[in-house]
Amino acid sequence: MGGAPSTPRKTGGGDDVPVAEYLISTFVGEKSFPLASDYWNKLLELPLSSRWPSDRVRQACELFGRSNGYTRHLAKLLIHLSWCLQELLQDSDDDQASSIYKRAVNATYISSVFLKHLIENGKSDGLVELHLSLDESEPVPHGFVMDQDIQNFVMHSVLNFIGSTEVSPNSYVLHQELLNFMIVAMSTQLLSGPSPGPRDANPFIDAAMSQEKSLVCLAVRRLLLNYISRTPPNAKTYLYSDGDSPGILERVGSAAATFVLLPLNYLVNNSGDGSKHPLAEFSLHVLLILTNYHKPIMSDESLTDKNDDSATSESVSKGHAFSSGNIFSKALANARDVEFDRSDVEGNAYPGPHVRIPFASLFDTLGMCLADEGAVLLLYSLLQGNSDFKEYVLVRTDLDTMLMPILETLYNASKRTSSNQIYMMLIVLLILSQDSSFNSSIHKMILPSVPWYKEHLLHQTSLGSLMVIILIRTVQHNLSKLRDVYLQTTCLATLANMAPHAHHLSAYASQRLVSLFYMLSRKYNKLSELTGEKQQSIKISLAGEGDGVSEDLAAELQIFTDFLRLVLDILNAILTYALPRNPEIVYAVMHRQEVFQPYKNHPRFHELVENIYTVLDFFNSRMDSQRSDREWSVQKVLEFIIDSCRFWRGEGMKMFTQLHFSYEQESHPEEFFIPYVWQLAFSRCGFNFNPDAINLFPLPHQVEKQGEEGRGEEVEEGKEKKVQELIEQRIVLDP
């Protein structure tokens, strides 16, 4: 393919390859065609059924990158795409609509390919290579405003079409490719670092953020409905047929058959459920990218001098930055249930437009898909930001629909689950545990069996008991493998929130809770001995030698001191507020009472341990008063405890304030979420990008290279830093 156009030869039948070669070579060549030229109609009406090898596509993209600055063909193509979408929203007959659909899909395809090439090969900070403007001398059609932002024009048209048009067999492909176009257009975020700066160039996503609220609500509603409906591509539906020759696509299922996109292979995801429901996958990830976008704006006094060559975005203090707000995030946070309007009850209608979706269908869809990280992130966003949806979840009587997939994934976490997904699921559980009605209701739901739990037969176990078991198992696995302080804290905080509301905790859950205390106590004792030995060795060694190691041991000892006290708080909460309802926890404490003995006089633990011994003394004394020749089986001891619970009045127990932990986001959560949503888009949408151009997050081969070069301390430090900064989370003990 050359840079200058060549004259196409006439062809017969359905052979349009030479015509396609001519029109595409002209598009990437040096000749500029006016916006009103008939050339654009010919280009967009091509069947595009040819298949080109990747080197031909790459050559075309490289030629286009050199010529676009003069021809401004990308800007003109985006304008034609916008016009096609606007025409489709107007009333027209079927034949005319079919022709416009073909042109719109063609425009979307071609725009995606060449826009993606320009973005991933951009060299300038402001992405001037896109040339999203027309030359001042450009003749424009009547009614077109010359100085309007083209990125705003096209994003308005795309969002308006997506939000205003139902997905049908005839429009499925166009909806799919418009979502792909949006991912391509928003991929400018990949070029920036994980901390968004005020000078990051994201023209298309910034344009999306500037749209009016009503349009944004329509788009968010459609994306959610696409995700809920999970409409599969209909492989038997033929589209855009022109007599005997195929149209732009033979079938919906052959979306990659176009000559431009087949070699790039970034429209089709061949893994997992993504291939079954591509429209739902793309809709979810477009929504996640939009709702997690963050654009910092600087105050005048904090702007760095642009003339200073050493100035970077890092030199701008975050203390002077403020967010411009995210209209998509607000729309999601204000989404309402179509079946219920709070104004009917409280008499206060919400002003302005808002998203209305079926919460019941969304709840069920999330329950089916929570093995997928994108679904977990959407659930987190809704629970964290949308009070109406959170209230809806909390009043559902089938919480197992949502909790069982989460608990099963946590159970299998060591096999295949990413650390990010574990974190998001644990935070979802922590958010839910902040509600007392949730903590009560999960103990009333009885599970006949839990077939995926292999270590112990769980029969007729409450959902609450299973949740306790899985959280404790996660803590124990983390102690032996990951050693992630924040993960431990999240699990224990959730257990602490649940403790006062425990009801008929199962024998196995009760045993695991006491075993957790024993496991932590052994680690605590070992650290205490090491710390004492280290301090002694420092005293007899040269001054200052080994101080760093000693400080590390002391810090770790303090962490396990806090963990051990928190588990004692959990046991105390059950024994203080829910003892008569939990005879199994009394049995477990009595059975392993020797593990608490070393802490009766410990300055940090003695008050909490005293309460445990108050319970032990009560039940031990009543047991001792029984006939000495009585044989005590497990069942008889449990029956004795149940009977003695009727006489328990809590006398001698010290009352401690109930612990209640809540989750809060720090001020810059985008530093985690923006890279995370793009990593999910890569894995689930089959989206490829030049790896050398990605600065937003490290790619797997970069991590492996770093591991080979720096094995050991540097890799571990990086991992620990990632863990500590993950989600910028805070678990707050409420007053």
Side-chain angles (χ1 to χ4, degrees), residues 77-223:
L77 182 60
L78 293 176
I79 292 171
H80 277 278
L81 168 59
S82 301
W83 285 343
C84 289
L85 296 177
Q86 291 174 0
E87 287 184 68
L88 286 172
L89 294 178
Q90 300 171 0
D91 294 332
S92 57
D93 57 61
D94 292 341
D95 292 338
Q96 184 181 7
S98 177
S99 174
I100 300 171
Y101 263 112
K102 180 191 299 185
R103 286 160 45 205
V105 174
N106 273 349
T108 310
Y109 276 144
I110 300 172
S111 298
S112 296
V113 172
F114 291 103
L115 176 59
K116 176 176 174 288
H117 174 81
L118 293 178
I119 291 174
E120 64 185 350
N121 291 280
K123 304 299 182 184
S124 64
D125 293 336
L127 286 174
V128 295
E129 296 91 345
L130 301 183
H131 297 289
L132 297 174
S133 62
L134 299 178
D135 190 87
E136 293 181 356
S137 61
E138 173 75 26
V140 295
H142 176 72
F144 182 78
V145 180
M146 185 66 178
D147 59 351
Q148 66 181 317
D149 290 334
I150 291 176
Q151 60 267 31
N152 186 73
F153 185 53
V154 70
M155 291 305 284
H156 176 88
S157 300
V158 169
L159 290 170
N160 193 31
F161 180 86
I162 291 174
S164 304
T165 310
E166 297 286 338
V167 177
S168 66
N170 287 335
S171 66
Y172 185 100
V173 172
L174 182 54
H175 274 274
Q176 174 79 30
E177 299 316 319
L178 286 173
L179 293 173
N180 177 76
F181 168 80
M182 288 192 67
I183 292 180
V184 170
M186 296 186 294
S187 67
T188 51
Q189 285 189 284
L190 296 171
L191 308 180
S192 304
S195 299
R199 299 193 183 94
D200 292 345
N202 297 297
F204 291 97
I205 195 167
D206 284 338
M209 295 297 149
S210 69
Q211 302 304 313
E212 60 270 20
K213 181 179 178 181
S214 58
L215 177 58
V216 169
C217 287
L218 285 174
V220 170
R221 175 181 175 273
R222 174 54 53 197
L223 294 174

Side-chain angles (χ1 to χ4, degrees), residues 189 192-200 294 296 313-314 316 318 668-672 674-675 695-697 725 728:
Q189 285 189 284
S192 304
S195 299
R199 299 193 183 94
D200 292 345
H294 176 84
S313 60
E314 294 295 328
V316 181
K318 284 185 180 178
H668 298 287
E670 68 278 356
E671 294 180 11
F672 166 77
I674 292 177
N695 296 310
L696 185 61
F697 53 82
E725 294 178 351
E728 297 278 347

Side-chain angles (χ1 to χ4, degrees), residues 334-352 354 356 388 391:
N334 292 320
R336 308 290 305 285
D337 189 1
V338 293
E339 302 296 333
F340 177 75
D341 193 331
R342 183 179 293 177
S343 62
D344 295 338
V345 176
E346 299 181 355
N348 299 315
Y350 286 85
H354 53 266
R356 296 183 64 86
D388 280 7
E391 290 176 11

Side-chain angles (χ1 to χ4, degrees), residues 270-440:
N270 294 318
S271 62
D273 293 337
S275 59
K276 299 176 184 176
H277 307 286
L279 188 67
E281 290 288 346
F282 276 69
S283 297
L284 172 62
H285 292 289
V286 167
L287 180 63
L288 291 176
I289 292 169
L290 287 169
T291 55
N292 285 283
Y293 180 65
H294 176 84
K295 178 73 171 181
I297 298 178
M298 309 309 298
S299 57
D300 294 339
E301 65 270 17
S302 63
L303 292 176
T304 306
D305 185 1
K306 295 181 181 179
N307 295 324
D308 183 359
D309 294 335
S310 65
T312 66
S313 60
E314 294 295 328
S315 63
V316 181
S317 170
K318 284 185 180 178
H320 296 282
F322 60 93
S323 173
S324 59
N326 184 317
I327 192 171
F328 287 87
S329 178
K330 292 176 182 176
L332 183 63
N334 292 320
R336 308 290 305 285
D337 189 1
V338 293
E339 302 296 333
F340 177 75
D341 193 331
R342 183 179 293 177
S343 62
D344 295 338
V345 176
E346 299 181 355
N348 299 315
Y350 286 85
H354 53 266
V355 178
R356 296 183 64 86
I357 53 173
F359 278 3
S361 299
L362 180 57
F363 180 93
D364 293 338
T365 301
L366 288 170
M368 291 189 299
C369 302
L370 282 175
D372 173 62
E373 291 185 71
V376 178
L377 186 50
L378 177 60
L379 174 60
Y380 164 83
S381 301
L382 289 165
L383 293 177
Q384 174 69 9
N386 190 311
S387 58
D388 280 7
F389 185 77
K390 181 180 178 181
E391 290 176 11
Y392 175 83
V393 170
L394 292 172
V395 299
R396 288 279 297 222
T397 58
D398 57 342
L399 284 169
D400 57 318
T401 301
M402 186 168 288
L403 289 182
M404 289 298 284
I406 293 177
L407 297 178
E408 183 177 2
T409 304
L410 290 174
Y411 175 79
N412 293 311
S414 60
K415 299 179 182 178
R416 60 181 182 271
T417 311
S418 74
S419 58
N420 291 347
Q421 185 176 7
I422 296 173
Y423 247 102
M424 298 310 304
M425 287 184 164
L426 290 175
I427 291 174
V428 164
L429 296 181
L430 176 60
I431 292 172
L432 293 173
S433 74
Q434 293 169 200
D435 185 83
S436 58
S437 64
F438 168 84
N439 294 324
S440 298

Side-chain angles (χ1 to χ4, degrees), residues 446-501:
I446 304 301
L447 306 171
S449 64
V450 186
W452 45 262
Y453 194 92
K454 304 301 182 182
E455 286 85 347
H456 188 85
L457 178 63
L458 299 180
H459 180 67
Q460 295 297 317
T461 299
S462 71
L463 183 59
S465 292
L466 178 62
M467 187 167 163
V468 169
I469 292 167
I470 296 300
L471 287 171
I472 292 173
R473 188 179 186 274
T474 303
V475 171
Q476 292 175 329
H477 171 72
N478 181 63
L479 281 173
S480 60
K481 302 288 185 181
L482 304 176
R483 302 183 66 182
D484 183 339
V485 173
Y486 291 93
L487 186 148
Q488 302 284 72
T489 306
T490 306
C491 291
L492 294 177
T494 305
L495 287 169
N497 286 347
M498 296 169 61
H501 309 279

Side-chain angles (χ1 to χ4, degrees), residues 75 124 175 184 204 252 260 341-342 351 366 369 372 441 451 472 488 528 530 542 547 569 580 590 615-616 700 703 723:
S124 64
H175 274 274
V184 170
F204 291 97
V252 175
V260 175
D341 193 331
R342 183 179 293 177
L366 288 170
C369 302
D372 173 62
S441 61
I472 292 173
Q488 302 284 72
S528 297
L530 289 174
L542 295 176
D547 284 351
D569 275 316
M590 292 180 67
V615 173
L616 287 171
V703 175
V723 166

